[in-house]
Amino acid sequence: MPWGKVGSRSTASLPPEPVDIIRSMSCYRRVKLNVGGLPHEVLWRTLDRLPRTRLGKLRDCKTHESLVDICDDYNLEDNEYFFDRHPGAFTSILNFYRTGKLHMMEEMCALSFSQELDYWGVDEIYLESCCQARYHQKKEQMNEELKREADTLKVREGEEFDNTCCSEKRKKLWDLLEKPGSSVAAKILAIISILFIVLSTIALSLNTLPELQDTDEFGQTTDNPQLAHVEAVCIAWFTMEYLLRFLSSPNKWKFFKGPLNVIDLLAILPYYVTIFLTASNKSVLQFQNVRRVVQIFRIMRILRILKLARHSTGLQSLGFTLRRSYNELGLLILFLAMGIMIFSSLVFFAEKDEDDTKFKSIPASFWWATITMTTVGYGDIYPKTLLGKIVGGLCCIAGVLVIALPIPIIVNNFSEFYKEQKRQEKAVKRREALERAKRNGSIVSMNVREAFSRGAELLDVVVMEKGERTQDNHLSPSRWKWSSKRAASETSSNRSFNPDQGSPSKARASSPQRLNAQKLEEMYNHMAKTQSQPNLNTKDRGSSRAGHRRDEIELGALPGQGGDPLIGGREGVVDMKSLSSIDSYISCATDFQENPRFPYSPAGGLSLPESSRFSHSPGSGLSSRVSANPSLQTTLEHETMLTPPCSGAKPLNSEGSCLSGGPLSDSSILSDHSILSPEVSVYTTASSRTPPKTPERKALTPAVFTFHDASISKYIDADTDDEEHLREGGPSERLLGGLSSKPRLSGYQGATNHLEAAQRLLGQNCLFPLGSSPSVGHENHVASENSRRPKGDRGHSNAFDKGL
Amino acid sequence: MWTLPRTRDEKEIAVNIGGVRLVLCGDILNRYPDSRLAELVNCPTRSFDVISSLCDDYDPGKREFYFDRDPDSFKCIVEVYYFGEIHMKRGICPICFIKEMEFWKIDLSYLDECCKSNLTEKEEELAEIADKVKLILDDLDCDPNVSRTERWQKFLWKFMEKPESSLPARVIAVVSFLFILVSSVVMCLGTIPDLQVEDSEGNRVEHPSLDAIETACIGWFTVEYVLRLASSPNKVRFALSFMNMIDFLAILPFYVVLVLTYLGTAMMELANVQQAVQALRIMRIARIFKLARHSSGLQTLTYALKRSFKELGLLLMYMGVGIFVFSALGYTMEQSHPETLFRSIPQSFWWAIITMTTVGYGDIYPKTTLGRCNAAISFLCGVIAIALPIHPIINNFVIYYNKQKVLETAAKHELELMDSSPHRTEREPVKKKSLT
């Protein structure tokens, strides 16, 4: 029953007086901490060991506001404080208070752990050495991956064609030449290009056959005329290709610098240089140096075989691997060099007294040592004395060993990169599929947050003193923590980490001790220009920009605010909540609360005495789901949104059951749901592409996809699956209705998210008359309660029992 | 019937470990009377002092003892009362777990073997990190209360031995590296007949300019060695360490040759002296090993080889067996051919080695059909014989290579922690003090 009381506290009754809080804190030696449904009990004394951390500050809280600031909910009578965070990570963090040793659970993701550390205000430097290495490695790896992904995204989608004339045509040309996957014509073009490359290399080789060569007037051998024609045609094709690419490229300088384009250029240039030299110096061609230069340029023609790299990811990953493992390659060469040095001098001393020996000097025997160590063994030089043969045998074995040692490391690098490359290819395919779906007007996915998080990761984040937190950004922790937390506790399994991982930087960005809102805003603005734009381009309607979007949001928000707060009574309460949810929605979408462009920012909402209560819990609760995903156009959501009625009823009911003290039977849940579902579906089916009529819907729409959006592209594969599930699951669940869908729903967060969202809806609109306990009837839309319930139900039912 | 539950009730205690409530039976707890919980059960007086010495808090209403400990670890530890052994749950740090066991006064011997190996592994790792940190710290700290010569010695030591400590030290390291390279190159060039000159007796000797470079290099090596020796805190250990032995061997031949040419003629015949000089010239190769000082990769290699001594022996044994078998087979099979290249079994050893390592010079090759079949089989066996034992060696190398990297980050972090703790204590004064 504790939550029932809490619920009443945060909605109907006034917040407790500071006196009560102080009394409650002083009369207990211990404190109960409920983190994500998992109860902990700890001595106040223990928490005081780290007074600067979040838990340490809990003790110093004297007022309701400061308490809500630190924890998500509390119950003074039970001396219980609720934090909506990952329970697994908290166990290790609480042990840090107890033992002074901070360890990371082995199965915990490093990124989500760092996010948790941020939230609890513990510096990651206190991580014990044994975990530290793993933690940092993982983190670095992750950051690197994110960076690389951002780079590729930039490369792939950062092209803008809006600066000059006929941008449309140029974009088409660019797609045709650079993206063989974009259309059939492009694919054919790529194949033709490959054929030309192969043809030209064959011609180049045939040219050197003596039977096919001609002799010129100086008696020198020259090219066969037929092959010369082939060569000319190939070069013409290459030149044309290069020029077209160059003309259509959005960024000329970057194009010029690209390694693949440099190779292209090198493949073409020798031909023209040769022509130029032969034409201008026909008379002096017999001069040796000119001919030598020409010869060198002829050899450079062989570079065109590298042009194949453009068409093969395998070759590209080989190049990348070599670049990345230059350390190990250096090691390999060093090993070999030392072995060659040692064995050649040994064999020299062993063989030098032999008659007509070929080991005339140490440098001369280098060749022998190389050929032996690499086990090639031409047999042009070989030792003849016994000593020499012994040295030779050792040299063979040492060579095998020395070459074999560093190669596994290089191989490892290669396979890692190759896997990565393949994954990215898959991700691109998925993205293209998404785009196609969007063009058909069926899907929306919002990647503002993803892009934002990536950007935040890359940008240097300003660390702020924790104490300087302002009223305005105090909401942010609770905001972002809701999404990750909820999702995490929902499934209490490995996948529950996904959202945490997904928005690490976002979490950091919004975590109070790291950033101030202004900084964030600057960052965001910057990012909206640079980072998120490519994402938006692809993921959203194709051309929508962050600015655009924000305007849309504003549009949506203002009408809602105009009307709603004026309504009094119970509706007033509802509206209040929706208002705050809008606000936080807006601010989440852009991720700042202080954005001057939003006249009704949550700060404003907070200043209203009536709404303040809601903006703490419900508002923030909603916004979390909402956070950062303002994409408003949906179809997929529409389908999935229909699921809430069935699933929404369940948690709500369980909430009701806890309020009434006894669990309700399943049948009652079903009936509730059946009554409710039409109401909800009205909400959910309404098109969200138009400016929303009700703020709730708007807030809800993005909620559906928080999960996808949160998961980094590393999980894109899994992501796709989920999305498909969602797509299938949405309607089917709608059909199934009721409880049968529940286990499935709890499987993935996307669904559960809007499940809760729906629950909220229900609470606001029609459910409370149905609430089983009359005393709570008008209070059951308290967000904290709503949102906590399902989690307790599903994830940690045993803990929940204890709490009850 | 009614009395029974009551007596049990007295023997039952409710404990609350960090929020997890458990009811434990006193009889079971008494299986280990030394443990904290058994003491709690047996404690005769329920006086506040005794109880508070055993647990953190006591709730008289619920008769519940509260312990401010990790519940996860306790769940593992409480198993000892039921099963007599403890298994560590995955994810719990072994070091912390040992602390918990100490708190609950459970003997360490109850920890099961499988978990103990885990513990020792972790302890070893920590010890290695601590060593590394100590090493780095040794470089950093400077005692103010040492004599001037000692400080000078320390400075010199750092200057010569720790290239990362300062810019001049790095320059010294690079110069030293270059000298090694130059002297190696000179050694090789000196053997090229075109660059040699004839001396008065018609012998070919090295070019005088190369000789001069050689002397300069040796001079540098000597100075380096002497400075290192002078500045080393422990002379004997310095002289015996592997790296310094190599250094010593690299400079020794030059001086021995010098002594021999000037004094040796007086004592023995010229030919003997020249032979000795020739033999000593081979020892110059040792200078190439000096490169190991400048490359962590080479050190890793030596470490890996040292660690995989057994596997190397295995490799050699496989090869040895293979060589014997196949050279004997090859010799017998080739006897039928009139112009055979296999004249004796020891001679065909060479062929077997070259075939088994897939080098194949072609100076000796089988000519009969049977001999060729034998060659094919010997080649296959050679590939397998090399590939099998090489795998653990490679594994050792990779593990050590990766570990080296991890250790470096860990040590860096440890230092970072030490560095930052003075600043941090300003912000969180209670933190370290209360925890330690």
Side-chain angles (χ1 to χ4, degrees):
Chain A
M1 296 288 290
W3 303 122
K5 287 173 201 161
V6 177
S8 59
R9 191 264 309 146
S10 54
T11 49
S13 67
L14 287 167
E17 291 295 312
V19 185
D20 296 332
I21 294 171
I22 294 168
R23 193 197 303 134
S24 150
M25 283 187 176
S26 54
C27 78
Y28 292 105
R29 283 187 71 203
R30 294 178 249 159
V31 56
K32 284 182 194 144
L33 302 171
N34 187 336
V35 177
L38 202 67
H40 297 272
E41 206 164 354
V42 67
L43 291 173
W44 279 116
R45 202 176 57 202
T46 311
L47 296 187
D48 284 344
R49 287 177 188 164
L50 302 164
R52 294 292 195 135
T53 57
R54 183 174 281 264
L55 284 177
K57 278 192 224 155
L58 191 64
R59 184 63 183 271
D60 304 327
C61 289
K62 301 280 185 278
T63 59
H64 168 77
E65 279 74 26
S66 58
L67 264 181
V68 170
D69 198 7
I70 281 181
C71 63
D72 292 312
D73 205 350
Y74 63 94
N75 181 352
L76 287 184
E77 281 136 80
D78 278 17
N79 187 33
E80 185 155 354
Y81 298 85
F82 178 75
F83 297 87
D84 206 354
R85 302 298 304 178
H86 186 264
F90 181 71
T91 314
S92 353
I93 288 164
L94 192 62
N95 276 340
F96 177 48
Y97 287 85
R98 286 177 177 140
T99 62
K101 298 232 185 298
L102 184 57
H103 285 280
M104 189 169 94
M105 300 283 271
E106 253 162 57
E107 64 270 16
M108 188 97 194
C109 163
L111 277 183
S112 79
F113 193 69
S114 95
Q115 188 184 328
E116 293 294 315
L117 286 182
D118 273 350
Y119 175 79
W120 294 107
V122 177
D123 201 292
E124 62 183 22
I125 208 166
Y126 291 104
L127 208 56
E128 286 296 297
S129 307
C130 52
C131 306
Q132 186 82 28
R134 196 159 50 89
Y135 175 78
H136 277 294
Q137 252 179 356
K138 229 16 184 330
K139 224 174 145 184
E140 266 165 37
Q141 197 185 332
M142 212 62 221
N143 281 348
E144 203 177 282
E145 226 155 73
L146 284 175
K147 223 177 267 178
R148 201 181 329 137
E149 214 142 280
D151 283 349
T152 47
L153 269 182
K154 248 189 263 171
V155 168
R156 279 183 206 283
E157 287 137 14
E159 302 124 11
E160 288 176 60
F161 292 91
D162 52 357
N163 44 358
T164 47
C165 58
C166 45
S167 60
E168 192 78 350
K169 275 179 201 155
R170 274 177 48 209
K171 182 169 167 42
K172 258 186 198 151
L173 193 61
W174 179 249
D175 280 350
L176 196 67
L177 289 169
E178 282 280 307
K179 295 167 186 164
S182 63
S183 68
V184 181
K187 207 168 276 174
I188 290 170
L189 220 60
I191 289 172
I192 292 175
S193 183
I194 291 175
L195 286 181
F196 266 111
I197 294 169
V198 172
L199 186 68
S200 72
T201 35
I202 289 173
L204 191 71
S205 325
L206 286 182
N207 237 335
T208 56
L209 279 181
E211 301 94 74
L212 293 177
Q213 280 178 337
D214 282 358
T215 46
D216 62 1
E217 65 259 41
F218 302 108
Q220 297 289 333
T221 53
T222 53
D223 300 348
N224 185 301
Q226 279 88 38
L227 288 174
H229 286 315
V230 172
E231 172 81 10
V233 170
C234 289
I235 288 290
W237 170 269
F238 294 151
T239 315
M240 191 192 73
E241 204 183 11
Y242 184 79
L243 284 181
L244 281 181
R245 278 211 175 102
F246 185 72
L247 284 179
S248 67
S249 76
N251 184 341
K252 300 282 190 280
W253 176 236
K254 221 167 87 189
F255 176 85
F256 193 70
K257 271 194 312 184
L260 289 177
N261 300 318
V262 169
I263 287 175
D264 281 3
L265 197 63
L266 283 180
I268 312 169
L269 268 187
Y271 185 79
Y272 290 107
V273 173
T274 317
I275 285 181
F276 174 75
L277 280 178
T278 24
S280 60
N281 304 339
K282 196 88 186 169
S283 51
V284 285
L285 196 62
Q286 64 269 48
F287 287 130
Q288 206 59 34
N289 12 357
V290 176
R291 194 172 295 130
R292 201 167 286 158
V293 169
V294 171
Q295 281 298 330
I296 288 171
F297 277 110
R298 284 171 67 98
I299 291 165
M300 275 178 70
R301 286 192 203 166
I302 206 63
L303 279 174
R304 67 186 57 157
I305 196 81
L306 291 178
K307 273 168 72 78
L308 282 177
R310 185 189 289 281
H311 304 284
S312 150
T313 41
L315 269 178
Q316 280 170 25
S317 36
L318 180 68
F320 185 83
T321 309
L322 293 185
R323 225 182 308 148
R324 228 180 55 170
S325 33
Y326 68 94
N327 232 333
E328 287 78 21
L329 276 179
L331 210 62
L332 179 66
I333 289 169
L334 180 73
F335 285 175
L336 263 184
M338 277 188 69
I340 288 167
M341 238 358 183
I342 291 163
F343 284 109
S344 60
S345 28
L346 283 179
V347 87
F348 169 72
F349 284 114
E351 291 275 322
K352 70 184 178 126
D353 295 330
E354 196 77 355
D355 295 334
D356 76 44
T357 178
K358 284 184 177 150
F359 299 92
K360 293 206 178 75
S361 64
I362 293 181
S365 39
F366 278 173
W367 171 243
W368 169 84
T370 315
I371 293 306
T372 306
M373 284 195 86
T374 52
T375 73
V376 171
Y378 289 127
D380 50 346
I381 314 179
Y382 49 88
K384 282 169 186 152
T385 61
L386 178 66
L387 215 59
K389 283 181 177 174
I390 291 172
V391 170
L394 287 178
C395 182
C396 296
I397 295 172
V400 170
L401 257 180
V402 146
I403 290 178
L405 286 182
I407 278 187
I409 302 171
I410 300 173
V411 167
N412 214 25
N413 276 345
F414 176 77
S415 67
E416 238 169 62
F417 181 75
Y418 192 70
K419 245 186 275 165
E420 176 77 7
Q421 196 84 351
K422 276 202 159 168
R423 220 204 56 221
Q424 272 179 10
E425 258 171 38
K426 252 190 204 168
V428 167
K429 249 180 221 160
R430 170 187 165 261
R431 227 168 272 151
E432 273 160 11
L434 259 179
E435 238 176 300
R436 223 172 300 131
K438 246 174 272 149
R439 247 178 267 132
N440 301 341
S442 55
I443 300 192
V444 78
S445 127
M446 49 273 128
N447 255 43
V448 175
R449 183 188 184 178
E450 193 180 319
F452 176 75
S453 72
R454 199 173 291 135
E457 189 78 40
L458 301 179
L459 285 175
D460 216 13
V461 167
V462 175
V463 180
M464 263 187 63
E465 275 294 312
K466 290 172 216 158
E468 291 176 26
R469 240 191 294 157
T470 56
Q471 166 81 345
D472 296 293
N473 58 8
H474 90 262
L475 262 182
S476 49
S478 50
R479 207 193 324 132
W480 62 267
K481 108 192 110 208
W482 277 103
S483 58
S484 57
K485 182 71 277 156
R486 162 104 17 77
S489 49
E490 218 97 40
T491 50
S492 69
S493 70
N494 277 345
R495 60 178 310 141
S496 65
F497 294 111
N498 285 354
D500 282 354
Q501 286 170 332
S503 52
S505 44
K506 182 186 183 286
R508 179 173 309 156
S510 47
S511 88
Q513 56 266 64
R514 289 283 181 138
L515 276 184
N516 65 12
Q518 230 124 31
K519 196 83 198 166
L520 259 174
E521 189 186 351
E522 284 169 25
M523 229 162 72
Y524 183 81
N525 287 336
H526 175 67
M527 300 243 333
K529 290 237 158 57
T530 59
Q531 278 272 333
S532 61
Q533 197 138 323
N535 282 339
L536 290 174
N537 280 342
T538 45
K539 303 234 169 178
D540 296 323
R541 245 181 314 173
S543 61
S544 78
R545 297 275 151 78
H548 237 239
R549 168 164 313 199
R550 237 193 271 177
D551 291 344
E552 242 173 307
I553 294 154
E554 259 182 303
L555 274 178
L558 288 172
Q561 277 159 349
D564 289 336
L566 302 174
I567 307 164
R570 195 202 290 162
E571 274 118 41
V573 170
V574 173
D575 288 336
M576 233 25 158
K577 185 178 151 191
S578 46
L579 165 81
S580 60
S581 72
I582 268 201
D583 284 340
S584 39
Y585 167 51
I586 294 165
S587 52
C588 288
T590 53
D591 241 283
F592 320 105
Q593 278 147 334
E594 287 190 329
N595 195 330
R597 289 173 66 185
F598 306 136
Y600 288 92
S601 70
L606 281 171
S607 64
L608 295 170
E610 181 65 7
S611 68
S612 65
R613 262 181 284 144
F614 301 116
S615 54
H616 284 315
S617 32
S620 55
L622 261 182
S623 56
S624 65
R625 247 79 70 27
V626 164
S627 52
N629 286 314
S631 49
L632 304 174
Q633 61 280 58
T634 347
T635 331
L636 175 50
E637 261 104 89
H638 288 182
E639 292 172 353
T640 46
M641 282 302 292
L642 294 175
T643 52
C646 41
S647 42
K650 169 70 177 157
L652 198 75
N653 262 303
S654 55
E655 172 214 337
S657 72
C658 100
L659 294 178
S660 62
L664 280 178
S665 71
D666 284 350
S667 61
S668 67
I669 294 162
L670 253 179
S671 63
D672 277 359
H673 138 70
S674 54
I675 295 166
L676 292 170
S677 45
E679 286 278 347
V680 183
S681 46
V682 167
Y683 264 94
T684 49
T685 42
S687 158
S688 50
R689 208 179 268 248
T690 54
K693 285 171 212 141
T694 51
E696 286 93 339
R697 195 196 324 120
K698 202 179 174 194
L700 279 169
T701 322
V704 180
F705 264 85
T706 317
F707 166 60
H708 302 289
D709 163 46
S711 59
I712 336 171
S713 344
K714 188 176 181 188
Y715 298 90
I716 264 174
D717 292 342
D719 215 355
T720 341
D721 292 350
D722 279 352
E723 218 154 311
E724 280 157 16
H725 271 295
L726 265 182
R727 216 180 301 173
E728 301 158 17
S732 65
E733 270 155 28
R734 184 176 21 151
L735 291 176
L736 281 170
L739 292 165
S740 56
S741 65
K742 188 202 148 195
R744 229 173 131 191
L745 269 179
S746 55
Y748 43 90
Q749 288 99 356
T752 33
N753 273 344
H754 57 77
L755 176 156
E756 277 146 2
Q759 178 191 342
R760 191 150 323 196
L761 262 184
L762 295 175
Q764 287 164 3
N765 291 297
C766 53
L767 195 70
F768 36 88
L770 296 167
S772 37
S773 165
S775 63
V776 233
H778 58 284
E779 296 160 359
N780 66 355
H781 56 274
V782 171
S784 58
E785 217 178 279
N786 279 349
S787 45
R788 189 176 311 138
R789 256 318 123 214
K791 188 192 325 148
D793 283 346
R794 253 164 271 137
H796 303 278
S797 52
N798 49 348
F800 175 43
D801 287 345
K802 259 171 216 158
L804 274 178
Chain B
M1 284 301 285
W2 285 107
T3 51
L4 194 60
R6 187 179 287 177
T7 50
R8 267 184 61 206
D9 192 41
E10 276 176 17
K11 277 292 182 186
E12 234 168 36
I13 60 164
V15 289
N16 181 345
I17 289 100
V20 176
R21 199 163 178 277
L22 286 170
V23 178
L24 297 168
C25 184
D27 292 340
I28 289 171
L29 294 183
N30 270 326
R31 288 179 191 170
Y32 297 96
D34 290 339
S35 67
R36 186 177 283 261
L37 285 173
E39 275 177 38
L40 198 65
V41 172
N42 299 332
C43 120
T45 54
R46 287 274 149 113
S47 71
F48 180 75
D49 287 343
V50 179
I51 288 176
S52 65
S53 73
L54 287 172
C55 69
D56 290 320
D57 200 1
Y58 177 61
D59 188 342
K62 288 191 228 163
R63 300 169 59 82
E64 185 184 86
F65 300 93
Y66 173 76
F67 295 91
D68 198 7
R69 308 300 295 188
D70 180 17
D72 286 344
S73 309
F74 180 76
K75 275 178 200 156
C76 299
I77 288 170
V78 84
E79 278 180 4
V80 77
Y81 295 106
Y82 300 112
F83 310 120
E85 58 184 31
I86 296 179
H87 288 272
M88 230 182 292
K89 211 172 86 178
R90 260 195 75 228
I92 298 178
C93 169
I95 312 288
C96 282
F97 194 78
I98 295 308
K99 289 241 176 74
E100 291 291 315
M101 283 181 77
E102 275 163 18
F103 175 83
W104 296 108
K105 294 181 186 165
I106 306 275
D107 197 73
L108 273 187
S109 55
Y110 294 114
L111 195 63
D112 201 65
E113 280 305 319
C114 61
C115 302
K116 236 178 220 164
S117 66
N118 193 1
L119 171 73
T120 47
E121 211 172 88
K122 202 114 225 182
E123 269 171 348
E124 270 169 24
E125 197 185 321
L126 281 183
E128 268 172 38
I129 293 173
D131 277 353
K132 196 128 199 177
V133 168
K134 217 179 115 202
L135 211 78
I136 300 175
L137 276 188
D138 278 351
D139 302 343
L140 290 178
D141 74 353
C142 41
D143 275 330
N145 53 354
V146 292
S147 71
R148 200 160 163 205
T149 50
E150 266 178 60
R151 209 180 309 155
W152 176 240
Q153 189 185 349
K154 190 137 206 167
F155 169 75
L156 197 63
W157 177 250
K158 260 164 72 178
F159 192 62
M160 301 303 296
E161 284 276 317
K162 314 281 177 200
E164 62 275 1
S165 65
S166 65
L167 187 65
R170 189 165 296 164
V171 170
I172 291 283
V174 169
V175 169
S176 174
F177 183 78
L178 287 179
F179 265 109
I180 295 170
L181 276 188
V182 167
S183 75
S184 307
V185 168
V186 164
M187 183 186 80
C188 297
L189 289 182
T191 59
I192 296 178
D194 299 347
L195 296 177
Q196 286 175 337
V197 290
E198 281 187 22
D199 65 358
S200 52
E201 287 153 36
N203 286 327
R204 301 195 77 86
V205 292
E206 282 180 19
H207 201 270
S209 58
L210 289 179
D211 235 4
I213 297 174
E214 169 80 11
T215 315
C217 288
I218 290 292
W220 169 268
F221 293 150
T222 315
V223 168
E224 203 184 8
Y225 186 77
V226 168
L227 279 182
R228 280 210 173 106
L229 185 67
S231 65
S232 77
N234 187 341
K235 302 280 190 291
V236 178
R237 216 178 66 190
F238 177 87
L240 288 182
S241 85
F242 181 66
M243 278 292 146
N244 296 314
M245 292 262 262
I246 286 176
D247 282 4
F248 185 66
L249 283 182
I251 47 175
L252 187 67
F254 182 82
Y255 291 104
V256 173
V257 168
L258 214 63
V259 169
L260 275 182
T261 41
Y262 283 104
L263 302 177
T265 41
M267 284 185 281
M268 46 185 149
E269 279 179 44
L270 193 71
N272 285 353
V273 169
Q274 271 179 343
Q275 258 179 358
V277 167
Q278 282 298 332
L280 283 171
R281 285 167 71 95
I282 301 178
M283 283 179 69
R284 287 200 205 165
I285 300 164
R287 70 186 56 164
I288 296 170
F289 288 109
K290 275 168 70 82
L291 281 178
R293 190 189 285 282
H294 302 282
S295 155
S296 63
L298 272 177
Q299 282 164 15
T300 312
L301 177 70
T302 46
Y303 180 86
L305 290 183
K306 233 186 283 170
R307 280 284 295 270
S308 18
F309 213 71
K310 238 164 116 189
E311 285 84 6
L312 276 178
L314 208 64
L315 177 69
L316 287 181
M317 201 195 75
Y318 284 178
M319 289 298 290
V321 171
I323 287 165
F324 267 100
V325 170
F326 290 110
S327 61
L329 277 179
Y331 172 73
T332 33
M333 283 166 184
E334 285 291 305
Q335 283 307 304
S336 56
H337 202 274
E339 292 165 22
T340 178
L341 295 165
F342 295 71
R343 295 206 186 87
S344 67
I345 291 183
Q347 255 194 344
S348 36
F349 281 172
W350 170 244
W351 166 83
I353 294 177
I354 292 308
T355 309
M356 285 184 76
T357 52
T358 72
V359 171
Y361 287 128
D363 52 344
I364 309 180
Y365 50 91
K367 284 171 181 162
T368 61
T369 319
L370 266 181
R372 283 179 182 160
C373 292
N374 173 55
I377 295 169
S378 79
F379 150 76
L380 276 180
C381 289
V383 169
I384 293 169
I386 291 176
L388 291 187
I390 247 180
H391 190 251
I393 302 175
I394 291 173
N395 238 11
N396 272 341
F397 178 80
V398 172
I399 288 172
Y400 190 70
Y401 189 82
N402 289 336
K403 201 170 168 191
Q404 208 71 357
K405 278 187 186 167
V406 168
L407 272 186
E408 249 153 54
T409 44
K412 227 178 267 167
H413 158 254
E414 204 77 358
L415 284 176
E416 216 174 279
L417 189 59
M418 282 175 196
D419 267 3
S420 60
S421 44
H423 307 292
R424 213 153 286 263
T425 38
E426 287 165 23
R427 271 169 64 191
E428 292 178 355
V430 202
K431 197 167 191 168
K432 277 281 142 175
K433 254 179 256 167
S434 59
L435 288 178
T436 42

